[in-house]
Amino acid sequence: MPRPKGSKNKAPRKITVANNDFEALIAEKTSAKENLTVEIASLEENLTAIKADLKAKKAELKKLDTELGKLEEQKAAFDAAEAEKAKKAELESVLQKLMADGVSAAEILEKLK
């Protein structure tokens, strides 16, 4: 014979109603149900508004991320161009110094290599 499932120590569930006032209990439970239904509806409205707000904020964040990425790329390109200009200016100053010292063009080309 199989074992019975569940606890054997459970108390039986009985609804005790004083004077069999079922109408009052039904009215009370119905009003509680209506109140909960109204609360759920208002929460759902709030939730849809919050979801729409969240969607807008995420779109704005995505737009800002793309703009930030573009600006970082532009900054990197600008920094590289500035570094190239500085290197070119330094090289020209070295050439001017060597020419002022009387070094020939062939010797300058050897030193640059």
Side-chain angles (χ1 to χ4, degrees):
M1 185 159 117
R3 273 182 29 200
K5 294 183 179 178
S7 174
K8 297 176 187 174
N9 298 328
K10 286 185 182 176
R13 296 181 71 193
K14 291 184 182 178
I15 298 176
T16 57
V17 179
N19 299 332
N20 295 330
D21 194 12
F22 289 109
E23 293 297 323
L25 284 176
I26 290 173
E28 180 182 328
K29 298 293 180 179
T30 305
S31 67
K33 179 183 174 184
E34 289 173 359
N35 288 339
L36 285 175
T37 305
V38 169
E39 286 181 26
I40 288 171
S42 68
L43 288 174
E44 285 176 346
E45 288 176 15
N46 290 341
L47 184 62
T48 55
I50 290 172
K51 281 184 180 180
D53 190 32
L54 177 64
K55 187 176 181 180
K57 296 285 184 187
K58 282 186 177 181
E60 186 178 343
L61 177 65
K62 186 176 180 181
K63 182 180 174 184
L64 287 174
D65 280 342
T66 56
E67 289 176 3
L68 183 63
K70 287 179 183 178
L71 286 174
E72 287 175 348
E73 288 175 7
Q74 290 175 355
K75 181 183 181 285
F78 180 77
D79 288 345
E82 287 294 318
E84 189 67 31
K85 283 181 185 178
K87 187 176 178 182
K88 186 176 180 181
E90 182 182 342
L91 183 61
E92 286 179 4
S93 68
V94 168
L95 284 175
Q96 293 294 329
K97 184 178 178 184
L98 288 174
M99 290 177 96
D101 288 342
V103 180
S104 69
E107 291 174 349
I108 291 173
L109 288 176
E110 278 185 35
K111 288 186 178 185
L112 291 177
K113 291 182 181 181

